[in-house]
């Protein structure tokens, strides 16, 4: 009984310290059927009288593992029935959805789950949504983002509480403690076999990297990294809150967005300054996703010594540009742009409208292919080469296909957003499209056995 009491008390204290669950609240527990979520439900059930809370649960059947997925659902139904806890269930073919949305199964499943949880929150008036993330999850997340080079905003791991109503009461306990508690109270759970497949990055970290680090470097690694992530998380939250305030003071609205004075920016400590840029991009785009380190640093360069009118592409139709003592963050105007650059072998050119650079060079052989590089038979190129954007009447002959098609139709088939189509660089010769950069090369001027001169064309973002 002491183990059970200590475990529940530990979670209760963590909830109280971080104000995760408060008296009288309506609580929605996310229940997969695995050990972590089952433990969360049982602990909240044990604390419901103490906290005076109302508990309901939600389960998503992703329909990814045939009978196993249905078995997980049946287990959750049985458990909630035994505890007299109302269960909400959603069945969704995530595999089919991932293909339609062109997302990974992981990303599609996560979106389906959280969309469902928030819809329940809004429909039934839940005060808080509880997920069963624990110390092991926090360690895996922190390591995964550290390996990606994401800075403290990534290695902070999983926060105990989010502003949108998500809370994680079990970040204070390890997976081992959870399983011990369930064994002690005689509670079974289901196991997802995919957790043991090392095809996903997180699983590789869980199954290979962490055990090696524990064995060879630190037996208390899970607790150490999880606690470190929590401390870093506090630093991250504080720095971002300060940067948000400073951004509000520095931001001046203008016709297509806003600008920041370079002198004000350059007086700011760099740790906050870079976060001000992230704030600016988030506000302009309406999203905090996919803001890369490279993009932030290239924007930072705009505030230094650089030529006026220099631009940095931020996202679809969004740019930052320097103009005298101001850096503007703007949405591109609707009017169509037009550009055309004459290029030749041995030349590097910067396309300011697309914020991309191109290098053309003659080589003797084709190197391992990369997405930013293509090769053509130089002797077959009879005319002048240009890098330009699309124009009316353009046609394209896709690689290894017979017959050309209208460029507009190709863009539609490839689901290229209209706002991107005018910016996308085309490499052309004699007005024949050789390469739609970032998408597809043409079937023209392919390198063959008789080719003795190869034109290599490569591009990269920025100068």
């Amino acid at each position: 009984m002491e183990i059970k009491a200590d475990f529940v008390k530990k979670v209760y204290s963590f909830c109280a310290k971080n104000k995760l669950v408060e008296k009288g609240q309506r609580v929605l527990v996310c229940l997969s059927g695995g050990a972590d979520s089952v433990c969360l439900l049982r602990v909240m059930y044990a604390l419901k009288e103490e906290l005076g809370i109302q508990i309901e649960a939600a389960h998503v059947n992703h329909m990814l593992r045939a009978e196993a997925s249905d078995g997980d659902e049946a287990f959750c139904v049985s458990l909630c029935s035994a505890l007299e806890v109302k269960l909400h269930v959603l069945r969704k073919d995530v595999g089919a959805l991932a293909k339609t949305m062109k997302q990974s199964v992981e990303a599609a499943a996560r979106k389906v789950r959280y969309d469902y949880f928030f819809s329940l929150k809004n429909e039934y008036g839940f005060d808080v949504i509880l997920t069963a993330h624990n110390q092991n999850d926090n360690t895996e997340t922190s390591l995964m983002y550290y390996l990606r080079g994401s800075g403290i905003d990534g290695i902070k791991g999983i926060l105990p509480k989010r502003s949108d109503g998500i809370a994680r009461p079990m970040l204070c306990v390890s997976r081992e403690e959870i399983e011990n508690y369930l064994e002690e109270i005689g509670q079974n759970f289901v196991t997802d076999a995919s957790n043991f497949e090392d095809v996903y990055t997180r699983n590789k970290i869980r199954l290979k990297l962490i055990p090696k680090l524990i064995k060879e470097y630190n037996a208390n690694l899970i607790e150490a990294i999880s606690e470190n992530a929590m401390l870093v998380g506090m630093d991250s939250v504080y720095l971002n809150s300060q940067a948000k305030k400073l951004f509000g003071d520095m931001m001046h609205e203008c016709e297509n967005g806003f600008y920041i004075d370079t002198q004000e920016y350059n007086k700011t400590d760099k740790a906050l300054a870079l976060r001000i840029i992230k704030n600016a991009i988030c506000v302009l785009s309406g999203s905090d996703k996919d803001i890369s380190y490279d993009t932030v640093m290239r924007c930072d360069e705009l505030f230094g010594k650089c030529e006026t009118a220099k631009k940095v592409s931020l996202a679809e139709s969004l740019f930052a540009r320097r103009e005298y003592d101001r850096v503007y963050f703007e949405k591109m105007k609707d009017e169509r742009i037009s550009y055309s650059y004459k290029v030749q072998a041995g030349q590097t050119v910067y396309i300011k409208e697309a914020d991309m650079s191109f290098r053309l060079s003659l080589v003797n052989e084709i190197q391992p292919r990369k997405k930013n590089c293509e090769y053509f038979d130089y002797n077959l190129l009879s005319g002048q080469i240009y890098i330009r954007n699309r124009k009316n009447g353009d046609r394209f002959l896709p690689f290894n296909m017979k017959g050309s098609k209208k460029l507009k139709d190709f863009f539609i088939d490839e689901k290229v957003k209209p706002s991107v189509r005018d910016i996308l660089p085309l490499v052309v010769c004699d007005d024949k499209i050789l390469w739609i950069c970032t998408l597809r090369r043409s079937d023209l001027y392919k390198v063959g056995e008789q080719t003795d001169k190869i034109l290599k064309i490569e591009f990269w973002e920025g100068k």
Side-chain angles (χ1 to χ4, degrees):
M1 293 299 294
E2 187 177 349
I3 293 176
K4 290 187 287 186
D6 286 347
F7 184 88
V8 173
K9 184 178 179 181
K10 188 174 182 179
V11 176
Y12 175 80
S13 298
F14 184 77
C15 286
K17 179 180 178 182
N18 293 280
K19 297 181 180 178
L20 304 185
V21 181
E22 299 182 25
K23 287 186 181 294
Q25 287 189 326
R26 295 197 68 206
V27 173
L28 181 67
V29 175
C30 303
L31 181 66
S32 69
D36 302 339
S37 65
V38 168
C39 181
L40 174 62
L41 180 62
R42 290 301 306 261
V43 170
M44 288 298 110
Y45 184 80
L47 291 171
K48 69 174 185 175
E49 299 300 331
E50 177 75 20
L51 291 174
I53 57 176
Q54 299 177 52
I55 304 172
E56 294 184 23
H59 174 78
V60 176
N61 183 338
H62 300 106
M63 304 172 67
L64 291 170
R65 297 178 291 119
E67 294 179 1
S69 293
D70 293 338
D72 294 351
E73 179 185 329
F75 172 84
C76 293
V77 169
S78 176
L79 175 62
C80 289
S81 176
L83 297 176
E84 297 184 345
V85 170
K86 182 177 179 179
L87 177 66
H88 304 267
V89 177
L90 173 71
R91 297 173 64 85
K92 192 77 172 181
D93 188 344
V94 170
L97 180 66
K99 290 180 181 179
T100 302
M101 301 300 293
K102 294 186 177 181
Q103 290 181 317
S104 69
V105 171
E106 284 180 300
R110 186 180 190 281
K111 186 177 189 310
V112 166
R113 285 197 304 274
Y114 280 88
D115 284 352
Y116 181 54
F117 299 150
F118 282 115
S119 71
L120 292 174
K121 181 176 185 288
N122 293 332
E123 183 177 355
Y124 294 97
F126 291 107
D127 297 295
V128 61
I129 300 170
L130 302 185
T131 65
H133 295 92
N134 56 54
Q135 284 186 343
N136 294 64
D137 296 317
N138 208 9
T139 297
E140 292 160 14
T141 300
S142 184
L143 278 174
M144 183 168 65
Y145 280 102
Y146 180 81
L147 293 173
R148 292 177 182 174
S150 64
I152 72 169
D153 289 341
I155 64 174
K156 71 179 185 298
I158 305 168
L159 297 176
K161 191 174 185 178
R162 296 189 343 192
S163 59
D164 58 6
I166 297 281
R168 289 87 174 222
M170 298 210 301
L171 282 179
C172 60
V173 293
S174 69
R175 190 164 290 132
E176 182 180 9
E177 290 177 281
I178 288 169
E179 292 180 359
N180 287 341
Y181 172 72
L182 291 176
E183 183 179 359
E184 190 72 17
I185 65 172
Q187 174 63 61
N188 62 333
F189 53 89
V190 296
T191 301
D192 185 345
S194 64
N195 290 334
F196 302 98
E197 298 172 358
D198 62 358
V199 294
Y200 303 116
T201 300
R202 179 182 287 276
N203 284 11
K204 289 179 181 178
I205 290 172
R206 176 191 303 136
L207 301 173
K208 294 183 176 181
L209 179 59
I210 289 178
K212 183 177 179 64
L213 293 175
I214 289 174
K215 181 180 179 181
E216 299 183 13
Y217 296 96
N218 185 352
N220 297 316
L221 182 88
I222 298 296
E223 184 178 3
I225 292 184
S226 180
E227 289 178 353
N228 182 66
M230 301 276 270
L231 291 172
V232 170
M234 287 188 278
D235 292 344
S236 174
V237 169
Y238 174 75
L239 287 171
N240 285 327
S241 67
Q242 294 302 304
K244 189 174 182 179
K245 292 177 184 177
L246 287 171
F247 168 70
D249 294 337
M250 291 185 185
M251 184 263 283
H252 305 276
E253 293 186 7
C254 59
E255 183 179 358
N256 298 310
F258 50 86
Y259 69 84
I260 296 173
D261 184 271
T262 57
Q263 291 184 346
E264 286 184 89
Y265 178 88
N266 289 322
K267 291 177 184 177
T268 308
D269 184 89
K270 187 63 74 176
L272 291 172
L274 297 180
R275 282 172 169 74
I276 288 171
I277 289 177
K278 288 189 72 173
N279 266 280
I281 298 173
C282 288
V283 169
L284 191 66
S285 65
S287 170
D288 61 353
K289 304 295 184 184
D290 301 324
I291 302 174
S292 69
Y293 171 83
D294 180 62
T295 298
V296 172
M297 296 312 295
R298 288 197 291 123
C299 286
D300 179 63
E301 290 176 5
L302 294 177
F303 289 91
K305 294 181 179 179
C306 71
E307 67 270 23
T308 191
K310 181 178 178 181
K311 278 187 176 182
V312 171
S313 176
L314 304 176
E316 177 189 326
S317 333
L318 308 180
F319 285 87
R321 64 180 177 86
R322 173 71 177 263
E323 185 174 307
Y324 301 108
D325 293 329
R326 295 174 178 176
V327 173
Y328 288 82
F329 292 81
E330 297 176 311
K331 291 186 178 181
M332 184 182 294
K333 295 180 180 179
D334 290 336
E335 62 259 23
R336 182 171 175 176
I337 63 171
S338 178
Y339 65 85
S340 180
Y341 292 78
K342 185 186 293 187
V343 292
Q344 59 187 15
Q347 184 179 5
T348 299
V349 62
Y350 174 63
I351 312 298
K352 64 181 181 180
E353 290 84 356
D355 188 30
M356 294 168 66
S357 295
F358 287 78
R359 180 186 296 124
L360 286 73
S361 54
L362 295 177
V363 297
N364 296 321
E365 61 181 0
I366 294 178
Q367 299 168 340
R369 290 193 178 275
K370 298 180 180 179
K371 290 184 179 180
N372 69 325
C373 184
E374 283 294 348
Y375 299 87
F376 301 90
D377 188 324
Y378 185 68
N379 291 330
L380 297 178
L381 301 174
S382 58
Q384 175 64 50
I385 301 173
Y386 291 88
I387 297 174
R388 63 168 174 82
N389 64 334
R390 66 170 178 162
K391 63 182 184 181
N392 292 333
D394 274 337
R395 298 188 69 85
F396 179 56
L397 176 60
F399 186 72
N400 281 345
M401 288 184 64
K402 293 181 179 180
S404 64
K405 63 194 311 182
K406 291 180 180 179
L407 182 61
K408 179 181 178 180
D409 293 338
F410 176 79
F411 281 155
I412 292 172
D413 292 343
E414 293 296 314
K415 295 182 173 58
V416 179
K417 295 180 180 179
S419 53
V420 175
R421 297 173 192 174
D422 285 333
I423 305 171
L424 210 59
L426 311 174
V427 179
V428 301
C429 180
D430 288 334
D431 250 7
K432 296 176 181 176
I433 299 174
L434 308 183
W435 186 17
I436 304 174
C437 298
T438 75
L439 281 180
R440 187 88 60 85
R441 66 156 290 158
S442 78
D443 203 54
L444 300 172
Y445 313 125
K446 294 186 289 188
V447 174
E449 293 181 2
Q450 305 301 318
T451 302
D452 60 358
K453 275 189 178 181
I454 300 173
L455 177 65
K456 175 183 179 182
I457 305 177
E458 56 187 323
F459 71 85
W460 59 91
E461 287 190 0
K463 285 191 173 181

